[in-house]
Amino acid sequence: MPRFPKAVMVLPVLALPGLLIGLANAGHADSFELGPRPAWLVSQMDDSPLKEKLAACLGQNVKRTSFSIGHRGAPLQFPEHTEESYRAAALMGAGILECDVTFTKDKELVCRHAQNDLHTTTNILATGLASQCTRGFSPAIGDTNASAECRTTDLTLSEFRTLDGKMDAANRRASTVDQYMDGTAGWRTDLYAGSGTLMTHAESIALFKSLGTKFTPELKSPVVEMPFNGFSQQDYAQKLIDEYKAAGIPPEDVFPQSFNLNDVLYWIENEPEFGKQAVYLDGRFSRDGFDPQNPDTLSPTMQELKAMGVNYLAPPLWVLLTNEDGRIAPSNYAKAARDAGLTLITWTLERSGPLDNGGGWFFQSVADLIDSDGKVFEVVDVLAREVGVTGLFSDWPATTSFYASCMGLD
């Protein structure tokens, strides 16, 4: 049976939301709580110099680091894009927090991963607002799964504010709304999902500023036809930036993201101080024939992206890795991006559940090498030292904060 290294200092598991708020405020003064997970992950590693290095750091002070990015906050245990989730991520030392941005019926910007995810990320189906959903709840019948679709554009901002966030999940074989809403994966938890406080984008800016973190908003692709009641894609992209300007946030603290290259190019042209840190989320992995070992087939090429003014590129982590003679190593995609002068960020750690079966989608390029949770820090180490990523999104930022602090990363 694995044993914790002798240097372990097991810190308290994050507790009640009220206590969490107080601790997070202390986090702004460089007081952080990691909980037991980093130490447990170290204990699962095979013996190696990396394990020895990390074990020696257990119990040492942790600093806030921009390498550690809170992906939707800390949704391994807290409802994503809620105040509680963001505070948890900041408490764990995340130096950058993410608000995925979409808009309501009255064109107000709010934090949601998708414009049409309210049925899985909030309690809307259990409220009177369910009647306003694009498609109401339909139970599973035979081979047909249960379904619903509730959009932020189905609601005004005032209506949106009445909802509670929950863990993002659905029971597709449900016959009732209660069953449908009760689908959280066993490796996540509903312990802190009693009342997730939803946030507008502007409120997230104020919160992140108070917590001492930087900002990485993602402009989500609308599911409604654009322009939406006169609100164009350009209006949408501009409004996101305008809310940072209104809050007096320095452009160098903001890393706006989009999978839509045109959004990134819009920021580069129209808001160059923000645009020079705009992050192109590279979704080209979904194209037929994509091969991270053959990046020359991509269009635009890495050099063309750089010539357009793109400085930050963010593919999923598997795109940056390959199995090289039985070791985790940088892919040719990673090398080509580095050679073109692009700064790499990647996503998402701690989102795959237990890693005893190859790690699933996020680890697919090195699945043959992923056989336990002890591989997490091996992956992080290759991404940081060999690929050279400057930031790593995680659903549980304690893991990335611990690694970055141990290795002296900014």
Side-chain angles (χ1 to χ4, degrees):
M1 178 180 296
R3 296 180 180 275
F4 283 98
K6 292 181 180 179
V8 164
M9 180 177 75
V10 179
L11 299 174
V13 176
L14 297 175
L16 299 174
L19 176 61
L20 181 60
I21 291 173
L23 290 173
N25 287 336
H28 189 14
D30 296 329
S31 175
F32 303 114
E33 296 279 350
L34 295 183
R37 184 162 178 79
W40 181 81
L41 290 172
V42 171
S43 78
Q44 302 302 298
M45 297 177 67
D46 295 332
D47 290 340
S48 67
L50 176 61
K51 181 176 182 178
E52 292 177 6
K53 168 69 173 175
L54 295 173
C57 291
L58 292 168
Q60 295 182 4
N61 290 335
V62 174
K63 67 175 184 178
R64 191 180 301 288
T65 166
S66 294
F67 181 84
S68 180
I69 306 174
H71 180 244
R72 314 186 199 180
L76 184 65
Q77 292 195 25
F78 292 83
E80 64 183 47
H81 294 307
T82 62
E83 179 179 353
E84 293 80 4
S85 187
Y86 291 139
R87 288 187 180 275
L91 182 60
M92 289 185 275
I96 303 176
L97 297 179
E98 177 189 48
C99 167
D100 287 334
V101 179
T102 187
F103 55 88
T104 60
K105 181 189 292 187
D106 43 356
K107 307 170 193 174
E108 296 297 330
L109 303 186
V110 295
C111 299
R112 288 290 90 198
H113 180 65
Q115 194 169 64
N116 60 339
D117 73 0
L118 296 182
H119 50 289
T120 62
T121 65
T122 77
N123 66 335
I124 188 170
L125 292 177
T127 75
L129 293 173
S131 62
Q132 297 178 208
C133 290
T134 295
R135 288 187 297 107
F137 172 72
S138 295
I141 300 176
D143 294 333
T144 302
N145 285 335
S147 64
E149 184 181 4
C150 303
R151 302 176 177 179
T152 56
T153 46
D154 293 333
L155 308 177
T156 63
L157 177 59
S158 61
E159 291 169 333
F160 174 85
R161 288 185 183 279
T162 67
L163 301 177
D164 289 332
K166 74 176 192 67
M167 298 299 284
D168 182 15
N171 176 0
R172 304 296 178 184
R173 300 309 302 162
S175 58
T176 68
V177 165
D178 286 346
Q179 290 174 355
Y180 184 78
M181 294 174 61
D182 185 22
T184 303
W187 48 272
R188 293 184 183 268
T189 181
D190 285 318
L191 185 61
Y192 307 114
S195 57
T197 306
L198 303 191
M199 305 197 76
T200 68
H201 177 234
E203 288 168 345
S204 79
I205 295 172
L207 177 64
F208 299 176
K209 182 178 179 180
S210 75
L211 295 173
T213 72
K214 296 181 181 181
F215 314 78
T216 186
E218 180 187 339
L219 197 73
K220 302 302 296 188
S221 297
V223 295
V224 295
E225 184 176 351
M226 298 293 278
F228 176 76
N229 295 336
F231 190 55
S232 69
Q233 184 70 25
Q234 292 74 27
D235 294 334
Y236 180 30
Q238 186 62 52
K239 186 167 185 174
L240 181 146
I241 299 299
D242 286 346
E243 294 196 343
Y244 288 94
K245 295 165 74 173
I249 304 299
E252 61 267 23
D253 288 346
V254 184
F255 298 82
Q257 315 168 69
S258 181
F259 278 101
N260 183 345
L261 180 57
N262 287 331
D263 293 335
V264 175
L265 298 178
Y266 174 87
W267 291 323
I268 290 169
E269 180 178 354
N270 294 280
E271 292 287 352
E273 290 305 303
F274 289 89
K276 65 185 178 183
Q277 292 198 153
V279 180
Y280 175 37
L281 296 164
D282 194 350
R284 294 176 292 175
F285 58 82
S286 62
R287 296 179 182 176
D288 289 342
F290 173 79
D291 180 3
Q293 290 299 90
N294 192 15
D296 291 341
T297 62
L298 290 174
S299 180
T301 65
M302 301 297 185
Q303 291 81 6
E304 288 169 342
L305 286 173
K306 185 67 176 177
M308 293 174 185
V310 176
N311 292 317
Y312 287 84
L313 185 64
L317 64 86
W318 67 266
V319 169
L320 298 176
L321 302 174
T322 191
N323 182 339
E324 184 179 274
D325 298 325
R327 65 176 292 269
I328 301 170
S331 68
N332 289 337
Y333 175 107
K335 295 173 184 176
R338 181 180 59 204
D339 290 346
L342 294 167
T343 300
L344 289 167
I345 297 171
T346 193
W347 42 277
T348 302
L349 207 68
E350 306 279 38
R351 194 160 182 83
S352 301
L355 302 186
D356 56 1
N357 59 356
W361 189 86
F362 286 98
F363 295 86
Q364 60 187 277
S365 61
V366 289
D368 291 345
L369 305 176
I370 304 298
D371 57 7
S372 76
D373 288 314
K375 299 298 183 182
V376 166
F377 282 126
E378 292 184 29
V379 168
V380 174
D381 193 55
V382 172
L383 289 170
R385 291 194 307 104
E386 299 186 49
V387 174
V389 301
T390 62
L392 178 54
F393 283 88
S394 177
D395 278 17
W396 197 245
T399 302
T400 43
S401 297
F402 167 73
Y403 175 87
S405 291
C406 184
M407 299 299 178
L409 303 181
D410 293 331

